[in-house]
């Protein structure tokens, strides 16, 4: 994946600090820039602030300090701004969070109609195309509870992709899955990366990071420890802390 | 003896059952001998149903009419109760402090006043003003016979309409406070991930509530909501104090003119019980059907 043509800056987080009410400093002067088409994998021990960082990018968490710019728009506290930025940022959760009272098709249609103001017919066309691509077309009228974890997560990815976001965030998308279902979800993510989707991926799947990632960011205690191209990150990490971490998980 | 859900009676159970039986016999004896009450059950049926001498058709009489009014009252009261309750339940889970306070104030106010006092306050202070402003009675009276009949069938005849509507609103306001708590619990029962997922997709709060949160909340709280409807039926008896001719009011009227105290109240008890129990069974069926889904 090296030598990929990189475009405009899509995500620019600058000097983010986030302290939880409990007093824990989850993000400590953290900065990161992601360009269009890039796949950035965020790794680090649990409690490093990886998920918190992703959640700050679409305003699910408020930052205490620092600025976030998504596709040229500064994230602020106004409702309209947040809603607009959230439509440009797709998010995939560890727990899928599909809407259990709606079928797979309705799950994917809903935001297109409600937020993107598409007609129901147009939305369904997009939905069916996506379902076809991820191999779930036959599950369009099934309810989430009738699907396996892997199928649910694929549908959840489709739901976010259907909004045609500028960037997709994956918050440990495979951590809640049984091992045999991890592969099918990673396949879908690989497909997205191949299509040029800008992606920020928090994961423990180092194989995926190596194969699909352009850059790897290593975080610890809310700080950036190392940020570099995939190949050198795994073979020749600069920081001692990164070396220790890699030796523990590889 | 059957296995599984078989009935097993221990010595203690038998003792308790015998004691209860003995108490029942004693009570019957007191009524029969001690009070020397003269039972006249044969007088009751004609207050349930009577034969119209002019047309020769059977028509419901006071008690049955009272039961129908109770049912009409309960069904109509369920509407404002659900609307007010949903609104107040939403306010109580709102992010805005004034809204939360407003919802909380309503629920606490209603739950800490005796319903009887609430009926009087609402009837004498509020409904007079509201009804006068609406001028409803006059409007109904001057409308066509068909409209009048429809109103009489679905709510109350024109001369009693304003009282009926006051009763509906009072009852709705009262039950709304309890429904608000049920709705609040329902909203709380929806997983946090549902809020986050819809938020992340760019939904407005209204869109989140309408399409994601409330549909799930309501399917979670359907059984307690249906249970609250049974409470509405039971609580509807309180509006008898403002002369709405529902079952309890009819019973009191009838008792005053016939002195059939025991017969009438036993009959009314059975009528309320059958109505409530029927609804209860329906709720149970609903619950078990939902569990299957």
């Amino acid at each position: 994946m090296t030598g990929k043509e990189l475009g405009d800056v899509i995500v620019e987080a600058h000097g983010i600090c986030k302290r939880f009410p409990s007093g824990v400093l989850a993000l400590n002067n953290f900065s990161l820039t992601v360009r269009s088409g890039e796949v950035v994998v965020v790794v680090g021990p649990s409690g490093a602030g990886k998920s918190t960082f992703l959640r700050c990018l679409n305003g699910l968490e408020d930052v205490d300090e620092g600025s976030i710019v998504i596709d040229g728009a500064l994230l602020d506290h106004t409702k309209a701004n947040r809603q607009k930025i959230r439509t440009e940022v797709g998010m995939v959760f560890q727990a899928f969070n599909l809407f259990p009272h709606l079928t797979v098709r309705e799950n994917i249609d809903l935001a297109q109609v409600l937020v993107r103001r598409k007609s129901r017919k147009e939305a369904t066309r997009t939905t069916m195309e996506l379902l076809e691509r991820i191999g779930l077309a036959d599950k369009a009228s099934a309810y989430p509870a009738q699907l396996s974890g892997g199928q649910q997560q694929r549908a959840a990815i489709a739901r976010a992709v259907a909004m045609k976001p500028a960037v997709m965030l994956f918050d440990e998308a495979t951590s809640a899955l049984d091992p045999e279902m991890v592969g099918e979800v990673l396949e879908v993510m690989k497909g997205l990366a191949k299509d040029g989707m800008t992606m920020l991926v928090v994961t423990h799947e180092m194989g995926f990071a190596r194969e699909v990632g352009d850059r790897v960011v290593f975080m610890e205690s809310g700080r950036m420890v190392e940020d570099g191209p995939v190949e050198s990150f795994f073979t020749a990490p600069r920081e001692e802390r990164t070396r220790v971490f890699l030796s523990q998980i590889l | 003896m059957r296995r599984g859900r078989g009935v097993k009676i221990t010595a203690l159970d038998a003792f308790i059952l015998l004691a209860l039986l003995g108490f029942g016999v004693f009570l019957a004896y007191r009524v029969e001998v001690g009070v020397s009450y003269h039972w006249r059950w044969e007088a009751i049926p004609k207050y349930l149903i009577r034969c119209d001498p002019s047309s020769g058709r059977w028509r419901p009489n006071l008690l049955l009419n009272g039961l129908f009014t109770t049912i009409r009252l309960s069904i109509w009261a369920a509407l404002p109760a659900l609307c007010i309750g949903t609104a107040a339940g939403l306010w109580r889970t709102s992010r805005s402090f004034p809204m939360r306070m407003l919802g909380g104030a309503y629920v606490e106010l209603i739950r800490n006043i005796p319903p009887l006092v609430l009926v009087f306050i609402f009837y004498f202070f509020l409904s007079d003003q509201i009804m006068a402003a609406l001028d409803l009675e006059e409007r109904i009276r001057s409308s066509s016979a068909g409209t009048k009949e429809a109103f009489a069938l679905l709510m109350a005849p024109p001369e009693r309409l304003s009282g009926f509507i006051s009763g509906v609103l009072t009852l709705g306001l009262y039950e709304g406070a309890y429904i608000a708590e049920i709705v609040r619990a329902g909203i709380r029962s929806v997983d946090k991930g549902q809020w986050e997922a819809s938020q992340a997709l760019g939904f407005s709060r209204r869109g989140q509530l309408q399409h994601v949160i409330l549909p799930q909340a309501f399917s979670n709280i359907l059984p307690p909501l249906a249970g609250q409807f049974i409470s509405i039926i039971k609580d509807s008896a309180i509006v008898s104090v403002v002369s709405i001719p529902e079952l309890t009011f009819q019973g009191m009227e009838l008792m005053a003119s016939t002195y059939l105290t025991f017969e009438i109240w036993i009959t009314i008890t059975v009528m309320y019980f059958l109505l409530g129990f029927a609804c209860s069974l329906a709720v149970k069926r609903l619950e078990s059907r939902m569990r299957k889904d």
Side-chain angles (χ1 to χ4, degrees):
Chain A
M1 289 279 156
T2 45
K4 200 169 179 174
E5 199 72 24
L6 291 181
D8 307 334
V9 171
I10 296 289
V11 176
E12 184 159 28
H14 188 76
I16 297 179
C17 292
K18 166 75 187 172
R19 192 181 286 280
F20 282 122
S22 61
V24 176
L25 191 60
L27 291 172
N28 187 358
N29 196 19
F30 188 83
S31 301
L32 184 72
T33 303
V34 181
R35 290 179 171 278
S36 175
E38 237 182 339
V39 177
V40 177
V41 179
V42 184
V43 300
S46 60
K50 310 180 295 280
S51 292
T52 308
F53 173 60
L54 289 196
R55 293 164 60 83
C56 286
L57 290 181
N58 66 354
L60 283 182
E61 304 276 358
D62 291 320
V63 298
D64 297 326
E65 271 172 61
S67 65
I68 291 168
V69 177
I70 305 284
D71 206 11
L74 181 72
L75 182 71
D76 64 28
H77 285 277
T78 59
K79 238 188 199 168
N81 167 278
R82 295 221 151 175
Q83 270 168 36
K84 198 188 160 306
I85 284 186
R86 280 172 185 151
T87 60
E88 301 306 327
V89 181
M91 186 157 193
V92 177
F93 298 86
Q94 185 177 345
F96 329 137
N97 295 345
L98 287 172
F99 307 133
H101 61 299
L102 301 177
T103 62
V104 168
R105 185 179 58 70
E106 290 164 341
N107 259 282
I108 305 173
D109 281 352
L110 187 60
Q112 298 182 67
V113 173
L114 229 55
V115 182
R116 285 284 192 222
R117 306 264 165 223
K118 284 197 202 171
S119 69
R120 181 77 44 198
K121 219 172 128 192
E122 224 180 312
T124 301
R125 197 183 317 130
T126 308
T127 301
M128 291 314 294
E129 272 169 29
L130 277 169
L131 287 178
E132 202 74 55
R133 233 170 71 192
I134 60 172
L136 281 181
D138 56 324
K139 300 287 183 193
S141 37
Y143 284 89
Q146 298 166 315
L147 303 185
S148 74
Q151 290 170 330
Q152 285 188 55
Q153 191 61 300
R154 278 147 68 197
I157 294 173
R159 181 174 69 174
V161 171
M163 297 293 286
K164 305 235 180 321
V167 57
M168 286 277 292
L169 313 177
F170 292 86
D171 187 5
E172 305 207 17
T174 56
S175 299
L177 294 174
D178 289 336
E180 74 268 24
M181 292 170 185
V182 169
E184 61 187 74
V185 172
L186 292 181
E187 269 319 304
V188 171
M189 290 167 66
K190 271 180 218 167
L192 278 178
K194 217 173 277 165
D195 292 346
M197 176 66 81
T198 312
M199 290 162 64
L200 247 168
V201 185
V202 169
T203 187
H204 299 294
E205 300 289 334
M206 293 303 149
F208 173 83
R210 264 190 159 146
E211 190 183 340
V212 184
D214 297 313
R215 263 163 69 204
V216 182
V217 167
F218 177 56
M219 283 180 82
E220 190 172 44
S221 314
R223 285 173 176 282
M224 167 88 71
V225 176
E226 188 160 348
D227 175 1
V230 165
E231 276 323 303
S232 61
F233 180 88
F234 285 106
T235 51
R238 288 192 303 270
E239 304 289 327
E240 177 57 30
R241 186 62 196 95
T242 314
R243 240 166 268 153
V244 174
F245 175 75
L246 287 176
S247 70
Q248 281 164 350
I249 58 164
L250 288 181
Chain B
M1 186 153 293
R2 282 181 303 161
R3 279 175 173 274
R5 288 187 61 194
V7 184
K8 223 187 248 175
I9 294 180
T10 65
L12 183 64
D13 293 337
F15 175 75
I16 292 172
L17 285 175
L18 279 175
L20 283 173
L21 194 69
F23 183 68
V25 168
F26 170 73
L27 216 59
Y29 172 79
R30 283 298 298 168
V31 171
E32 197 57 40
V33 179
V35 187
S36 74
Y37 188 77
H38 178 57
W39 292 96
R40 280 175 43 220
W41 278 109
E42 68 282 358
I44 293 297
K46 70 168 179 283
Y47 295 118
L48 285 168
I49 193 164
R50 74 190 164 90
C51 189
D52 191 359
S54 58
S55 64
R57 293 235 298 268
W58 290 94
R59 292 185 174 282
N61 204 357
L62 290 170
L63 290 178
L64 216 50
N65 269 328
L67 183 73
F68 293 154
T69 303
T70 290
I71 295 171
R72 279 195 292 260
L73 194 63
S74 307
I75 291 172
W76 282 108
L79 281 177
L82 200 61
C83 295
I84 301 171
T86 305
L90 279 172
W91 291 341
R92 295 209 76 183
T93 54
S94 166
R95 275 174 305 185
S96 120
F97 177 69
M99 290 301 236
R100 277 207 306 275
M101 215 177 61
L102 202 66
Y106 161 68
V107 170
E108 292 308 330
L109 195 68
I110 298 291
R111 290 207 306 183
N112 292 300
I113 316 178
L116 204 53
V117 175
L118 188 78
V119 172
F120 282 128
I121 289 182
F122 198 81
Y123 191 73
F124 292 119
F125 291 90
L126 294 175
S127 88
D128 258 7
Q129 321 294 322
I130 296 172
M131 289 306 147
L134 284 177
D135 202 19
L136 202 65
E137 228 160 302
E138 216 29 65
R139 271 188 225 182
I140 298 293
R141 230 170 250 159
S142 57
S143 66
S144 71
T147 321
K148 270 185 220 171
E149 212 158 299
F151 266 98
L153 191 70
L154 295 173
M155 296 175 118
E159 65 277 12
R160 297 219 188 92
L161 194 61
S162 82
F164 181 86
I165 291 176
S166 307
V168 163
L169 290 179
T170 311
L171 213 51
L173 200 65
Y174 175 67
E175 301 294 336
Y178 295 89
I179 290 181
E181 287 300 90
I182 297 174
V183 169
R184 179 168 79 133
I187 292 173
R188 286 274 152 83
S189 75
V190 177
D191 181 50
K192 211 170 130 248
Q194 296 291 309
W195 288 95
E196 291 187 345
S198 47
Q199 227 167 323
L201 285 164
F203 285 45
S204 63
R205 184 167 168 91
R206 197 199 138 104
Q208 278 184 298
L209 284 170
Q210 190 185 338
H211 295 280
V212 178
I213 305 300
L214 287 182
Q216 293 183 59
F218 272 107
S219 85
N220 287 348
I221 61 176
L222 210 53
L225 271 186
Q228 194 62 34
F229 180 69
I230 299 173
S231 290
I232 296 183
I233 294 173
K234 292 187 294 182
D235 296 340
S236 70
I238 55 173
V239 298
S240 62
V241 297
V242 290
S243 307
I244 292 164
E246 46 68 72
L247 190 50
T248 304
F249 179 83
Q250 300 288 45
M252 290 196 292
E253 292 278 280
L254 206 53
M255 194 184 64
S257 55
T258 62
Y259 300 108
L260 296 169
T261 315
F262 282 89
E263 292 90 334
I264 287 168
W265 287 114
I266 290 171
T267 308
I268 286 179
T269 304
V270 170
M271 288 167 86
Y272 270 122
F273 175 77
L274 288 179
L275 183 58
F277 192 60
C279 292
S280 211
L281 286 180
V283 173
K284 257 188 207 138
R285 272 190 62 175
L286 183 79
E287 271 180 74
S288 71
R289 175 143 18 122
M290 281 181 57
R291 250 200 303 278
K292 248 182 261 162
D293 282 346

